[in-house]
Amino acid sequence: MERSDLWSVAKACDLPPADLRRFFELFAAHPRTVTLFSQGVNQSLRGTDQVNAIVNLHLATGRIGKPGAAPFSITGQPNAMGGREVGGLASTLAAHMGFVPDDVARVGRFWAAPNMACKPGLKAVDLFRAVGEGRIKALWVMATNPAVSMPDAGRVREALAACPFVVVSDVVTDTDTSKFAHVRLPAAAWGEKDGTVTNSERRISRQRAVLDLPGEARPDWWIVTQVARRMGWRTAFPYDRPAEIFREHARLSAYQNQGARLFELREQVAIGNHAYEALAPFRWGGDAFADGRFPTPDGKARLVPVQQMTLQDPLAKWPLTLNTGRYRDHWHTMTRTGLSPKLARHRDEPLVEVHPDDAVELGLADRGLARVSTPQGDSVFRVTLSTGQRRGELFVPIHWTDQQSTGGRTGLLPRPLVDPHSGQPGFKSTPATIAPVAIEWRGFLLATGEVKQPDCLWATRVQVAGGVLYELAGQGDPVQLDALLPKGERVEAVDRARGSRRVAVLKDGKLAAALFVTREGLLPSREWLIAQIGEAASPAVLAGAPPGAREDRGPIVCLCFDVGLKTIVSAVASQQLTSVEAVGAALSAGTNCGSCRPAIRRLIEQNRSVANA
């Protein structure tokens, strides 16, 4: 039994006891408390117990069902709640019903389905294990990219390759998963769909298409309906428009529901087509729990016993702990955000974040390359040193795929171990190791059109305004990169002493491509060259910069207004800016979407620390 006194808890949480005591005092003093939690809590081998512990605390202290008092899960999906309402989980039926006999029988009666599933289906990790073992012969993948996002993705790819029949519905032509497909179906993208979505406060809103369907692309409901009809189930799939599906959804929510299930759309059961088109946002369930009653036989909530399972200590061969997660400006596997030049430049390569002290011990250099390895697989990342990273731990992002990079394949690394209740993989705590990767040259390739991914150790694609940029590094002779350059007039400079080579390709006097490679020399900043792509070629193109001094903005922090880190640091120091609002007034940074405000606040705090040193 683990001890739960203040000092033991502080040690387990890696917090100073005084800070933990202050947290307890604040919680006790403020009855209106919201607990925000996200993937750090959820994506764990003990995630269900951790979430139940949070909910138990709110129930025990009366901090639920009141304004400003709730446990609040911050999920990364725009329609996570809506997916659960329609039974989009292997462990549930539609309309918030499960697999208890009464629910199974009720859904069977409503759908006139004599062969209802009577137990939960396979959750994702178990499903792909079954595919790999040959127990599943046909698989239809919709709106996800499991060859990238699943843990132990190497095994997932082997399962997909061995599956006799794979269908992939996607909005992008090529993904890491679609290359295993026997049939590929063009699906409608977010802005091309028509239907409803539900947000975290249970508010259902109409989503209306803002773009026409391109080519043969169709919404998922239409594709499923057409396939079902061709398989002989026309009467069970009579839908010709989203309104018809919504009406059925509402009817099922109210069917034989005398308050036993909070989810109920009784007022929408008979909604007409015109009323559906004009449907205003509404919240189901009203002010749930505000009256102190819960959907249980006696109206009382239930505290769920939890056990603080001890996670396995790092292994001797794998002494580090690998944490995975998201970058601020990328979404899942970058099939959309990877197309945006602004979003791509904030974090343009997959980085492994390492504490500086660990880097010294492990022989890692900032901006060098390193191979992260686990018992499941390995992948190469660009190293970045961060004092915000805990010692003994590594962080890598989840977004990069074979379409964008030769490295950064995070899905290959985590263990296929899951929470025993939810089936959620434990993405946050994989035993790992890291080692530097030697390179003999580095460089970049910039072009106006698409370029085949270079065949070298490190090649990461970055979307830029007017074209594409590849960050490169490798071993051996980089001469093979010449084959990637488009045809045109070539201008070239060679520095054999430093092993440097610079090539510009011109078409009709405009810069069509540029290749910069060096073994020992320096590479110019990419910013000025990116601005020259597709423009009349400057005489300074091989220098990589115009004559005279120019501002080095550093990495972009504020994407909305294109403000770099060095610009912010300089303004904070020279103008003695002491707040995010002051930085916004001076530079506009942080005054639009607000996602960069935490980064700006850290820069202000760092400047204050330096000034007080």
Side-chain angles (χ1 to χ4, degrees):
M1 174 72 75
E2 290 188 5
R3 298 182 63 187
S4 57
D5 59 82
L6 176 70
W7 292 270
S8 298
V9 173
K11 181 179 180 181
C13 296
D14 196 18
L15 291 171
D19 289 357
L20 186 62
R21 180 186 294 278
R22 178 60 178 150
F23 167 74
F24 288 154
E25 291 170 347
L26 286 170
F27 190 91
H30 297 279
R32 293 190 176 185
T33 307
V34 176
T35 301
L36 302 173
F37 60 96
S38 189
Q39 306 309 342
V41 169
N42 299 333
Q43 292 181 342
S44 168
L45 303 182
R46 56 189 186 190
T48 300
D49 279 345
Q50 290 174 166
V51 172
N52 276 329
I54 293 170
V55 175
N56 285 347
L57 179 61
H58 277 265
L59 288 172
T61 58
R63 289 170 165 83
I64 197 166
K66 302 173 183 177
F72 193 103
S73 174
I74 307 172
T75 65
Q77 305 290 345
N79 193 29
M81 184 74 78
R84 285 152 179 77
E85 291 166 0
V86 298
L89 293 171
S91 56
T92 66
L93 295 174
H96 284 199
M97 284 183 273
F99 285 93
V100 296
D102 286 349
D103 286 354
V104 172
R106 185 181 302 110
V107 176
R109 287 193 297 272
F110 179 84
W111 273 333
N115 296 315
M116 279 291 299
C118 295
K119 61 181 181 180
L122 295 174
K123 300 180 179 74
V125 171
D126 292 333
L127 183 145
F128 281 98
R129 185 176 292 120
V131 173
E133 294 170 354
R135 293 185 284 125
I136 291 177
K137 307 293 186 182
L139 186 70
W140 190 347
V141 180
M142 304 177 75
T144 189
N145 199 356
V148 177
S149 56
M150 290 292 295
D152 199 5
R155 289 289 182 89
V156 171
R157 290 175 172 228
E158 292 173 4
L160 287 167
C163 188
F165 185 57
V166 177
V167 181
V168 173
S169 296
D170 213 306
V171 303
V172 205
T173 303
D174 295 309
T175 70
D176 288 19
T177 301
S178 67
K179 71 180 183 181
F180 298 100
H182 301 93
V183 176
R184 294 193 294 180
L185 299 174
W190 179 257
E192 300 156 3
K193 291 182 178 180
D194 184 288
T196 64
V197 295
T198 310
N199 70 8
S200 293
E201 65 161 357
R202 311 183 309 280
R203 190 170 301 279
I204 295 178
S205 301
R206 278 280 285 114
Q207 176 182 322
R208 299 168 179 86
V210 296
L211 298 170
D212 293 332
L213 290 168
E216 295 182 292
R218 295 292 183 271
D220 294 329
W221 72 264
W222 185 91
I223 295 172
V224 171
T225 295
Q226 295 302 311
V227 171
R229 289 178 180 179
R230 284 160 173 75
M231 294 178 72
W233 295 316
R234 173 173 289 276
T235 57
F237 289 81
Y239 322 111
D240 290 316
R241 61 176 66 194
E244 295 172 347
I245 299 173
F246 184 78
R247 279 193 291 272
E248 181 184 280
H249 176 51
R251 289 199 305 273
L252 178 58
S253 75
Y255 181 65
Q256 298 180 352
N257 184 1
Q258 287 74 42
R261 304 185 303 279
L262 284 178
F263 177 63
E264 185 176 18
L265 309 179
R266 189 171 297 276
E267 295 181 4
Q268 285 74 38
V269 164
I271 189 170
N273 293 338
H274 292 297
Y276 174 79
E277 293 301 326
L279 183 67
F282 69 95
R283 186 177 64 172
W284 61 262
D287 295 327
F289 318 134
D291 59 358
R293 291 191 61 80
F294 295 81
T296 60
D298 60 6
K300 296 181 180 179
R302 303 286 191 267
L303 297 179
V304 179
V306 299
Q307 181 178 356
Q308 181 71 320
M309 180 180 69
T310 302
L311 296 177
Q312 184 180 14
D313 291 331
L315 307 176
K317 188 178 178 182
W318 317 95
L320 304 174
T321 298
L322 177 67
N323 180 19
T324 71
R326 302 171 183 177
Y327 280 158
R328 186 190 78 191
D329 297 310
H330 278 310
W331 182 262
H332 293 354
T333 58
M334 289 169 59
T335 50
R336 285 167 288 179
T337 57
L339 304 177
S340 166
K342 275 197 171 185
L343 296 178
R345 291 318 306 268
H346 179 243
R347 290 284 189 273
D348 52 10
E349 294 181 281
L351 306 174
V352 53
E353 297 186 21
V354 186
H355 191 279
D357 293 345
D358 284 342
V360 171
E361 292 182 6
L362 296 165
L364 304 174
D366 194 30
R367 301 300 298 169
L369 297 181
R371 187 177 304 278
V372 177
S373 301
T374 71
Q376 291 68 242
D378 62 80
S379 194
V380 176
F381 294 82
R382 178 82 72 185
V383 175
T384 185
L385 305 187
S386 171
T387 55
Q389 181 60 49
R390 291 174 58 167
R391 288 213 61 182
E393 295 187 4
L394 308 170
F395 174 83
V396 294
I398 65 171
H399 311 290
W400 273 262
T401 74
D402 288 349
Q403 313 306 310
Q404 299 118 4
S405 181
T406 57
R409 291 287 291 103
T410 295
L412 300 173
L413 306 175
R415 299 173 291 185
L417 302 181
V418 300
D419 177 284
H421 306 289
S422 68
Q424 168 67 54
F427 285 115
K428 301 296 183 181
S429 55
T430 302
T433 187
I434 187 172
V437 173
I439 61 170
E440 297 176 0
W441 57 266
R442 53 198 172 81
F444 63 88
L445 171 64
L446 189 60
T448 53
E450 276 301 322
V451 176
K452 180 182 177 182
Q453 188 177 89
D455 182 17
C456 55
L457 173 67
W458 182 258
T460 297
R461 183 187 185 281
V462 185
Q463 191 73 37
V464 297
V468 63
L469 166 70
Y470 270 100
E471 294 291 342
L472 308 169
Q475 298 163 341
D477 193 341
V479 69
Q480 81 277 6
L481 298 175
D482 275 18
L484 302 174
L485 294 171
K487 294 181 180 180
E489 179 187 355
R490 291 198 181 193
V491 183
E492 185 172 349
V494 176
D495 182 347
R496 289 186 172 82
R498 294 181 175 83
S500 297
R501 185 163 171 262
R502 301 184 174 195
V503 182
V505 179
L506 312 181
K507 285 187 178 181
D508 300 323
K510 297 181 179 179
L511 183 62
L515 172 64
F516 284 60
V517 177
T518 186
R519 292 183 181 272
E520 298 179 7
L522 298 176
L523 293 168
S525 169
R526 304 352 174 215
E527 297 299 325
W528 182 77
L529 281 168
I530 289 171
Q532 307 310 304
I533 280 291
E535 301 295 325
S538 164
V541 66
L542 290 183
R550 61 189 184 88
E551 178 190 7
D552 178 7
R553 297 179 299 167
I556 300 300
V557 173
C558 176
L559 294 173
C560 297
F561 295 102
D562 206 28
V563 184
L565 182 146
K566 292 185 178 180
T567 303
I568 295 173
V569 169
S570 175
V572 167
S574 62
Q575 301 178 41
Q576 297 183 335
L577 305 178
T578 59
S579 69
V580 175
E581 290 72 22
V583 171
L587 303 173
S588 295
T591 61
N592 190 35
C593 77
S595 64
C596 63
R597 291 172 66 87
I600 296 172
R601 188 175 296 111
R602 285 194 295 272
L603 294 175
I604 294 170
E605 292 170 354
Q606 290 170 9
N607 178 74
R608 187 180 296 120
S609 298
V610 171
N612 294 334

